[in-house]
Amino acid sequence: MFKNKFYIFSLIVGLVLALILVVAQFPTARPVAKNIPIAMVNEDQGPMGQKVAKQLTDITKLGTGSQATTIKWTTKPTEQSIKRAMDQEKYYGAIIIPKNFSQNMQMVSKNGQPVKVEVLINQAKNATLANNVQVMLTGMVSKMSAGMGQMMLQQLQQNEVPLQAVNTESLTNPVVTKVDVRHSVKEKNSASSAYFQPLWMASLFATFLVFTAGKTIKVERQRQLWQLRLGQIGFLTGTAAIVGLATTWLVTYILSYTYDDFWKMACFSMIAAAAFMFIMFGLEMWLGFAALPVIALLMLFSAPLMQLAPEMIPAVYHDWLLPWLPIRFLLDGAKSIVYYQGDLFNVNTFKLISVGVVGLVLILLSISKDWWQVKRHFEK
């Protein structure tokens, strides 16, 4: 039995698949956020504002060891500048120290009014990580506030100020946070990732059927081969347009997602479907049926993108695998359009077009390969 190569082959395939499936779960096994981009805006010119800003930005690590979350702070001059940066998807959150912060802090013990510090959260950048950032930033401000309250009470006692004349209750929490969520995903929590499986699977089955149908057509001349390939490209283009439009309509009708511009999202879906179909068909032209497991693996390794932010993906996965996953261009581009009112032709659209162009080149180059095989068959 073991002399038959297929028994050995089945063992090898089983071990390889087990390894691949375990590696595919690696990003979600212990996700830890590293170098989270957070901004600090200090609009106060007083010494207290400067001290608080430095105290908060000095916190660059939360936790211990390899499981510690790290923060990458950036200083921005104004609230408007950080809002514009968030519109460009640059930061998950920000802390804004308002004008007259130092002056207002001096009045806390007298008027009993805590000073507000604003926390901005860019939720659509990645809802899971953004919510964690909200908890993290509000917790940092609360801890800082409690420390400042204790310090202010000690100073009052050292100066022998009668505590009866001081609003000591307000000093337990002299600084409070006001949270402002920008680009909220409320009621559209998965409106961008909803296109992931429909477009990818529709593209897979469409190209597979076109590829299989092409195998049944007998070609005797190079001109016929060109006509066949151009006809297949034209059919896939039309199919991509229908699939992209239908998917957008189904997401709107069945999932009740609404968009500021339905046709912008529909056109983007058409471009994504065409890019997927062309690259899949190009791979099938060169690898044959062996392209199917390659396409399946691309989908398998892309699944973590739907739930994990790039900062939560391990470095090896992020640096070596992520750049080769065309599905991330669909997810990032759809997110830009759905939550940030991005243009149809954003950077991810052009990346999808590049993927489609690579697929078209593979398809056209396969004509020479297939014609060489046809000529060899005739010469025999």
Side-chain angles (χ1 to χ4, degrees):
M1 179 179 74
F2 291 104
K3 293 181 179 180
N4 190 318
K5 62 180 180 180
F6 286 102
Y7 288 102
I8 303 299
F9 183 69
S10 66
L11 175 61
I12 295 174
V13 169
L15 293 174
V16 170
L17 283 177
L19 174 63
I20 291 174
L21 292 174
V22 170
V23 171
Q25 299 179 61
F26 178 61
T28 57
R30 291 185 179 180
V32 179
K34 299 293 184 181
N35 297 320
I36 307 174
I38 306 293
M40 169 62 71
V41 179
N42 181 17
E43 295 183 335
D44 179 57
Q45 300 301 319
M48 189 68 73
Q50 299 292 333
K51 181 178 180 180
V52 168
K54 185 178 186 307
Q55 183 177 345
L56 290 174
T57 53
D58 282 345
I59 303 173
T60 58
K61 180 186 292 188
L62 297 174
T64 58
S66 61
Q67 296 300 303
T69 297
T70 57
I71 302 173
K72 182 179 180 182
W73 288 100
T74 301
T75 301
K76 304 295 287 187
T78 63
E79 182 176 349
Q80 290 303 317
S81 64
I82 184 57
K83 287 182 177 179
R84 286 194 298 269
M86 284 188 172
D87 292 340
Q88 298 170 3
E89 307 179 50
K90 291 184 178 180
Y91 300 100
Y92 286 93
I95 295 178
I96 301 176
I97 300 174
K99 294 179 180 178
N100 303 322
F101 177 84
S102 298
Q103 181 180 346
N104 293 336
M105 282 296 295
Q106 295 175 357
M107 302 297 295
V108 171
S109 61
K110 297 178 181 179
N111 58 25
Q113 297 296 321
V115 182
K116 291 183 180 180
V117 168
E118 189 171 9
V119 172
L120 291 183
I121 299 298
N122 193 4
Q123 195 173 52
K125 186 166 173 63
N126 181 274
T128 301
L129 183 53
N131 292 335
N132 292 339
V133 167
Q134 178 177 334
V135 174
M136 179 177 66
L137 294 184
T138 54
M140 289 167 56
V141 174
S142 296
K143 185 176 180 179
M144 177 270 301
S145 174
M148 291 181 67
Q150 289 293 326
M151 183 180 66
M152 292 169 68
L153 278 173
Q154 290 175 2
Q155 289 178 347
L156 291 172
Q157 292 173 349
Q158 290 174 1
N159 295 330
E160 298 182 352
V161 176
L163 294 182
Q164 292 81 359
V166 177
N167 194 324
T168 55
E169 186 175 326
S170 64
L171 294 183
T172 59
N173 192 26
V175 181
V176 295
T177 55
K178 175 188 174 185
V179 178
D180 180 12
V181 177
R182 297 184 59 79
H183 304 292
S184 173
V185 301
K186 185 179 180 181
E187 298 178 357
K188 292 190 292 186
N189 191 32
S190 59
S192 58
S193 60
Y195 293 83
F196 169 51
Q197 290 181 339
L199 290 183
W200 188 261
M201 295 305 296
S203 301
L204 174 59
F205 281 97
T207 55
F208 174 72
L209 293 174
V210 170
F211 171 73
T212 304
K215 288 290 186 181
T216 64
I217 299 177
K218 186 177 181 181
V219 175
E220 296 180 350
R221 298 181 181 179
Q222 191 173 18
R223 180 181 177 183
Q224 292 176 318
L225 189 56
W226 273 95
Q227 289 175 339
L228 173 61
R229 290 290 176 267
L230 293 178
Q232 290 171 322
I233 292 173
F235 181 81
L236 289 175
T237 302
T239 302
I242 295 172
V243 168
L245 177 60
T247 301
T248 308
W249 180 80
L250 289 170
V251 168
T252 304
Y253 182 75
I254 296 177
L255 302 182
S256 300
Y257 289 144
T258 57
Y259 303 108
D260 295 332
D261 191 332
F262 173 87
W263 286 104
K264 183 195 295 186
M265 192 64 225
C267 289
F268 179 77
S269 300
M270 295 178 191
I271 294 172
F276 293 162
M277 289 185 187
F278 290 156
I279 193 66
M280 289 179 184
F281 194 64
L283 290 173
E284 290 166 356
M285 287 294 95
W286 284 92
L287 301 179
F289 292 107
L292 297 180
V294 174
I295 296 170
L297 286 176
L298 284 174
M299 181 174 177
L300 177 66
F301 282 101
S302 298
L305 296 178
M306 291 194 296
Q307 54 182 315
L308 294 181
E311 291 77 11
M312 300 178 72
I313 297 176
V316 174
Y317 192 100
H318 183 277
D319 296 339
W320 293 97
L321 190 57
L322 195 60
W324 300 96
L325 297 178
I327 295 176
R328 76 184 181 98
F329 305 141
L330 165 65
L331 296 176
D332 291 345
K335 180 175 65 176
S336 176
I337 293 173
V338 173
Y339 301 118
Y340 294 91
Q341 292 74 51
D343 296 329
L344 170 61
F345 289 99
N346 56 65
V347 63
N348 291 289
T349 308
F350 289 111
K351 289 179 179 179
L352 283 170
I353 292 174
S354 300
V355 171
V357 169
V358 171
L360 284 173
V361 170
L362 289 175
I363 296 170
L364 296 176
L365 288 177
S366 70
I367 295 176
S368 298
K369 172 184 71 70
D370 292 345
W371 177 240
W372 178 75
Q373 292 177 343
V374 170
K375 287 198 302 182
R376 283 191 62 191
H377 177 73
F378 286 148
E379 289 172 357
K380 292 180 180 179

